Amino acid sequence: MTYCLAIKVNKGLVFASDSRTNAGVDYVTTYGKMHRFVWPGDRVCILLSAGSLATTQAAVNLINKDLEEGDDAEFNLRQAKHLYEIAHYVGKLVQREQRLHEKAVEKSNISVEARFIVGGQIAGREPEIYLVYPQGNYISASSETPYLQIGENKYGKPILDRIITQDTSPEDAARCALVSLDSTMRSNISVGPPMELAIYAADSLEEPRHMSLKLASPFYKTLQKRWNEGLKRAFNRLPRFDWEENK
Amino acid sequence: MTYCLAIKVNKGLVFASDSRTNAGVDYVTTYGKMHRFVWPGDRVCILLSAGSLATTQAAVNLINKDLEEGDDAEFNLRQAKHLYEIAHYVGKLVQREQRLHEKAVEKSNISVEARFIVGGQIAGREPEIYLVYPQGNYISASSETPYLQIGENKYGKPILDRIITQDTSPEDAARCALVSLDSTMRSNISVGPPMELAIYAADSLEEPRHMSLKLASPFYKTLQKRWNEGLKRAFNRLPRFDWEENK
């Protein structure tokens, strides 16, 4: 499995992903799931992928091929006038790739489905994030639910629901994304390090700040330690039952 | 859906359950999912149920019927010499009930599967908790994983993984169970109040402390408020990125 999420706040976008891929529990490998396409001053597009690695790699290959073909391509990331066109395009690539293997897949009871998060900004437009379903359709985040998740999304959802609003700073949103990933990694072995993080400042149209955090990274270790200590402190301040001493 | 959990610590057992039942999103009702059977000095048995309400109600009716029949019953809760016999018995009842409706169910693409948590203590034995699968087989908690969950178990798992050990007091385990339920209720509308809580003191063989907490209950409101405040405080103490001021 996988866990990726994107958060849209007033001052920017945050993208975070784990790096664990597995074909059953006896074949576990590490693959980045964040793909960045940046043309400074013109457009920034970040993709996060979950699901069949064969399908997501094929889709990214097709995206790169269409970019190489330039204006000869039917469509590519540079031709898009709106970010939703990119979401639509990614959905089409995923559908095309899934259909190629449909019959073989039916026989072996395997899923080749893939999901993508597509986010970024095109000059003159607002920053946006989209979730692209395996069926090729897509949704964007709303002001009330300013985040999107793919993969193992349940473990890390409560902290997002408690912390994230539109007014959250991109840095706070990034810290929350890391806590959300950390909680998921602790509870589900199909999600694992390193964690990739990208923070895009709204209207910058520049390469987002990017980092890859291993378990041993000092920043990540400090974050884990302080979060655990903070949770335990919060826990110790919960109200006592009426039969307990030291109410 | 549903969310129920049981925790086994050295000094006792904790049981917690939500009360929301739904048949689709347009038929949502409130049903208790905790069933207590207590014979003071002899045995305490608590059941938590998830899944098809028809199946879980039928199983509880059969348990009560077998108790009414007393020694004439093939088996009942009072005849059990070990708690695992009760887990086995509940699994058999669930299987029997599911099979009754198997054919009708296949036609309508509905699930009549049910899961139970069975916990308690029989005089002269250790306190124990078991998870009974819809297939009728069952597992117990371990010293490394001293809790069991049924229903929507992912949202509320990270806090259990971070807090609960065998040495946790039953009261702390109960507070943790409430936080786990609260996180789940916030993130998933298929889990809802009131929350039932039972705390059994090991070797007491007495009626467990029991409470039903509504959203408006002062204890629950205080717990929610302090937990939110504590989380935000923990969050604000997370490390700054190196480009931020006030590192």
Side-chain angles (χ1 to χ4, degrees):
Chain A
M1 211 45 182
T2 285
Y3 177 41
C4 300
L5 72 160
I7 304 171
K8 182 190 172 201
V9 292
N10 291 333
K11 293 196 173 164
L13 305 175
V14 169
F15 302 86
S17 58
D18 82 311
S19 303
R20 187 155 291 171
T21 300
N22 67 302
V25 288
D26 49 0
Y27 194 73
V28 175
T29 48
T30 301
Y31 280 89
K33 296 163 191 175
M34 184 182 290
H35 311 275
R36 289 167 292 150
F37 300 87
V38 181
W39 293 271
D42 178 45
R43 64 192 57 207
V44 173
C45 180
I46 315 272
L47 301 183
L48 303 175
S49 59
S52 161
L53 187 63
T55 304
T56 60
Q57 285 190 348
V60 172
N61 287 340
L62 291 168
I63 288 169
N64 281 315
K65 182 174 152 283
D66 283 340
L67 280 170
E68 276 172 23
E69 287 183 4
D71 289 341
D72 293 340
E74 198 187 314
F75 185 85
N76 68 26
L77 295 189
R78 296 214 65 176
Q79 294 175 28
K81 291 191 172 61
H82 296 269
L83 209 75
Y84 66 75
E85 291 173 20
I86 298 182
H88 186 81
Y89 164 66
V90 170
K92 251 173 67 179
L93 297 182
V94 166
Q95 270 282 299
R96 190 198 300 174
E97 186 59 25
Q98 288 175 181
R99 250 184 256 123
L100 262 182
H101 305 286
E102 213 165 40
K103 281 193 184 161
V105 160
E106 268 174 26
K107 282 186 198 159
S108 29
N109 203 19
I110 289 171
S111 172
V112 285
E113 288 199 340
R115 280 159 199 255
F116 275 89
I117 286 174
V118 172
Q121 185 171 23
I122 294 174
R125 312 281 180 194
E126 291 291 307
E128 284 180 299
I129 53 175
Y130 287 91
L131 191 165
V132 182
Y133 292 110
Q135 291 73 25
N137 53 352
Y138 44 92
I139 58 167
S140 71
S142 75
S143 52
E144 288 73 30
T145 309
Y147 64 84
L148 295 169
Q149 304 169 292
I150 51 177
E152 274 294 351
N153 56 21
K154 293 187 177 184
Y155 304 101
K157 187 169 183 286
I159 189 66
L160 300 173
D161 288 333
R162 289 185 195 267
I163 299 283
I164 302 290
T165 71
Q166 282 183 284
D167 300 323
T168 306
S169 75
E171 283 77 12
D172 275 341
R175 277 182 278 270
C176 192
L178 291 178
V179 170
S180 177
L181 263 161
D182 182 55
S183 298
T184 306
M185 290 200 310
R186 273 178 170 252
S187 291
N188 189 311
I189 57 153
S190 77
V191 177
M195 299 189 284
E196 270 192 277
L197 187 66
I199 306 177
Y200 172 73
D203 302 327
S204 69
L205 293 169
E206 277 175 7
E207 183 78 54
R209 290 184 192 274
H210 176 263
M211 63 190 77
S212 176
L213 295 165
K214 295 184 180 159
L215 289 185
S217 305
F219 181 84
Y220 182 52
K221 278 173 84 170
T222 309
L223 181 125
Q224 269 197 320
K225 185 165 165 282
R226 292 213 194 144
W227 184 247
N228 274 325
E229 285 167 359
L231 274 191
K232 290 206 170 125
R233 207 176 295 123
F235 190 78
N236 288 332
R237 285 186 189 165
L238 293 181
R240 309 285 109 180
F241 294 104
D242 54 16
W243 64 86
E244 287 181 282
E245 286 170 29
N246 312 316
K247 273 179 81 178
Chain B
M1 213 44 183
T2 285
Y3 177 40
C4 300
L5 72 160
I7 304 171
K8 182 190 170 198
V9 291
N10 290 335
K11 290 195 175 164
L13 305 174
V14 170
F15 302 85
S17 58
D18 83 312
S19 303
R20 188 156 290 172
T21 301
N22 67 302
V25 287
D26 50 359
Y27 194 74
V28 175
T29 47
T30 302
Y31 280 88
K33 296 164 192 173
M34 185 182 289
H35 311 274
R36 289 168 290 151
F37 301 88
V38 181
W39 292 271
D42 177 45
R43 62 193 58 208
V44 173
C45 178
I46 315 273
L47 301 184
L48 304 174
S49 58
S52 161
L53 187 62
T55 304
T56 60
Q57 284 189 349
V60 173
N61 288 341
L62 289 170
I63 288 169
N64 281 315
K65 182 174 154 283
D66 283 340
L67 280 170
E68 276 172 25
E69 288 184 6
D71 289 339
D72 292 340
E74 199 185 313
F75 185 85
N76 68 26
L77 296 189
R78 296 213 66 176
Q79 293 175 27
K81 290 192 172 61
H82 297 269
L83 210 74
Y84 67 75
E85 291 175 19
I86 297 181
H88 185 82
Y89 164 66
V90 170
K92 251 173 68 179
L93 297 182
V94 166
Q95 271 281 302
R96 189 198 299 175
E97 187 58 25
Q98 287 175 181
R99 249 185 254 124
L100 261 182
H101 305 287
E102 212 166 39
K103 282 193 182 160
V105 160
E106 268 174 26
K107 283 186 197 159
S108 30
N109 203 20
I110 289 170
S111 171
V112 286
E113 287 198 341
R115 278 161 200 253
F116 275 89
I117 286 174
V118 172
Q121 185 171 22
I122 294 174
R125 312 280 179 193
E126 291 292 306
E128 284 180 298
I129 52 176
Y130 287 91
L131 192 164
V132 182
Y133 293 109
Q135 292 73 23
N137 53 352
Y138 45 89
I139 58 168
S140 72
S142 75
S143 51
E144 289 74 29
T145 310
Y147 63 84
L148 295 169
Q149 304 170 291
I150 50 177
E152 275 292 351
N153 56 21
K154 292 187 177 182
Y155 304 100
K157 186 169 182 291
I159 189 65
L160 300 174
D161 288 334
R162 288 184 196 269
I163 300 282
I164 301 290
T165 70
Q166 281 183 286
D167 300 324
T168 307
S169 74
E171 283 76 13
D172 276 341
R175 277 183 279 270
C176 191
L178 291 177
V179 169
S180 177
L181 264 161
D182 182 55
S183 297
T184 307
M185 290 201 309
R186 274 178 169 252
S187 291
N188 189 310
I189 56 153
S190 76
V191 177
M195 299 188 287
E196 270 190 278
L197 186 67
I199 306 176
Y200 172 73
D203 302 328
S204 70
L205 293 170
E206 277 176 8
E207 183 79 52
R209 289 184 192 273
H210 175 264
M211 62 190 77
S212 176
L213 294 165
K214 296 184 180 159
L215 289 185
S217 306
F219 181 84
Y220 183 51
K221 280 173 82 170
T222 309
L223 180 125
Q224 268 196 320
K225 186 164 165 282
R226 293 211 192 145
W227 184 246
N228 274 326
E229 286 167 359
L231 275 191
K232 289 200 172 130
R233 206 175 295 123
F235 192 76
N236 289 331
R237 286 186 189 163
L238 293 181
R240 309 285 109 182
F241 294 104
D242 53 16
W243 64 86
E244 287 181 282
E245 287 169 27
N246 311 316
K247 272 180 82 178

